[in-house]
Amino acid sequence: MSAASDRLNLVVLISGGGTNLQSLIDAIDAGELSASISAVFSNNSEAFGLQRAEKAGITTHIASHRDYENRSEYDAALADQIVKYQPDFLILAGFMRILSAGFVARFSDRILNIHPALLPKFKGTNTHQRAIDAGEVEHGATVHLVTEALDDGPNLLQARVPVLEGDTAASLQQRVLKEEHRIYPQAIQMLATGKLIIQDGVIKDNNGFSVTN
Ligand code: GRF
């Protein structure tokens, strides 16, 4: 946590609509999340989430991968910009780029992601249709620590929703998204209050017991 305050300093990375970013802004405004967002980065200049950030008075940066030769150059430049904000946590909120091992190592134990599935099930994209096709009776969302492997880090929090008869990917996505907006601020608040601690890739409760699953 930054020395100057008892609030977590967050930097949020987005690529799209930014409804999860909005849920964090709203939770902070409502006093439910002891944090402040010092910057929002997007790799996509068209991301609607940038407008949400600007409306909330948050500094925005567009970091387009098209401006760089390769992934490691892009990631190094992005990390260099992010460290200037000295964030306690980097919050991936619909950031549609895989981060290189070098980037993850630079912020180890400090990058969180929300994934629209009950990890370890359905890593990757198109999770809602894949859950329907697999005949799942429940689906959900996971807040997890980001490690080098895609959608693979230990979980902080999950929310489950039923898969209903007649569900389409779109209807299931809406049900899951509602839960994402609930659990992402909640998981970050557990870190802000020390209810959860992340150490060497392990999530622990405030008694030092691993809650990693
Ligand atoms: C969410 O479903 C999130 O789980 C996934 O990307 C989507 C982003 O939505 N990683 P939004 O931009 O927060 O609205």
Side-chain angles (χ1 to χ4, degrees), residues 22 25 39 45 64 72 77 86 96 109 113 130 143 153 200-201 205:
Q22 190 67 55
I25 294 170
S45 61
S64 172
S72 61
Q86 299 186 293
M96 299 304 285
D109 286 347
N113 183 40
R130 284 160 61 210
V143 179
D200 301 328
D205 65 17

Side-chain angles (χ1 to χ4, degrees), residues 14-22 52 92-96 113-117 128 141 173 176-177 180-181:
I14 63 167
S15 299
T19 64
N20 277 290
L21 165 65
Q22 190 67 55
R52 296 179 187 273
L92 309 188
F95 187 62
M96 299 304 285
N113 183 40
I114 188 148
H115 182 73
H128 310 295
Q173 179 187 21
V176 170
L177 201 52
E180 292 183 31
H181 299 159

Side-chain angles (χ1 to χ4, degrees), residues 11-15 20-21 24 41 78 82 89-99 103-104 110-115 142-147 150-151 180 184 188:
V11 164
V12 181
L13 275 61
I14 63 167
S15 299
N20 277 290
L21 165 65
L24 301 179
F41 285 77
L78 181 63
I82 290 171
F89 288 98
L90 299 194
I91 306 298
L92 309 188
F95 187 62
M96 299 304 285
R97 274 186 68 82
I98 295 172
L99 293 165
F103 184 100
V104 174
R110 292 194 291 141
I111 312 176
L112 305 181
N113 183 40
I114 188 148
H115 182 73
T142 305
V143 179
H144 68 96
L145 179 66
V146 172
T147 55
L150 179 69
D151 299 332
E180 292 183 31
Y184 215 178
I188 299 167

Side-chain angles (χ1 to χ4, degrees), residues 32-202:
E32 292 162 3
L33 175 56
S34 315
S36 52
I37 301 172
S38 50
V40 168
F41 285 77
S42 174
N43 63 321
N44 166 18
S45 61
E46 303 292 311
F48 182 68
L50 288 169
Q51 291 183 40
R52 296 179 187 273
E54 278 156 22
K55 197 170 166 211
I58 301 167
T59 305
T60 58
H61 293 273
I62 296 157
S64 172
H65 47 272
R66 293 193 188 90
D67 299 338
Y68 297 88
E69 292 270 303
N70 53 46
R71 185 179 297 278
S72 61
E73 270 189 28
Y74 173 81
D75 280 8
L78 181 63
D80 285 346
Q81 281 189 291
I82 290 171
V83 289
K84 291 181 188 156
Y85 290 95
Q86 299 186 293
D88 297 304
F89 288 98
L90 299 194
I91 306 298
L92 309 188
F95 187 62
M96 299 304 285
R97 274 186 68 82
I98 295 172
L99 293 165
S100 59
F103 184 100
V104 174
R106 209 159 153 187
F107 298 100
S108 67
D109 286 347
R110 292 194 291 141
I111 312 176
L112 305 181
N113 183 40
I114 188 148
H115 182 73
L118 294 171
L119 290 174
K121 283 184 177 175
F122 306 115
K123 297 175 181 182
T125 56
N126 202 20
T127 58
H128 310 295
Q129 189 60 51
R130 284 160 61 210
I132 291 170
D133 293 347
E136 296 289 328
V137 294
E138 61 175 12
H139 188 45
T142 305
V143 179
H144 68 96
L145 179 66
V146 172
T147 55
E148 284 177 26
L150 179 69
D151 299 332
D152 195 53
N155 299 345
L156 282 84
L157 208 52
Q158 285 190 314
R160 294 165 187 277
V161 302
V163 178
L164 304 177
E165 221 177 297
D167 252 338
T168 60
S171 63
L172 185 54
Q173 179 187 21
Q174 283 310 311
R175 198 173 308 119
V176 170
L177 201 52
K178 209 170 155 208
E179 290 301 301
E180 292 183 31
H181 299 159
R182 185 176 64 79
I183 63 169
Y184 215 178
Q186 200 181 330
I188 299 167
Q189 179 64 0
M190 290 167 95
L191 293 166
T193 58
K195 201 168 175 191
L196 288 180
I197 297 156
I198 306 177
Q199 250 172 12
D200 301 328
V202 179

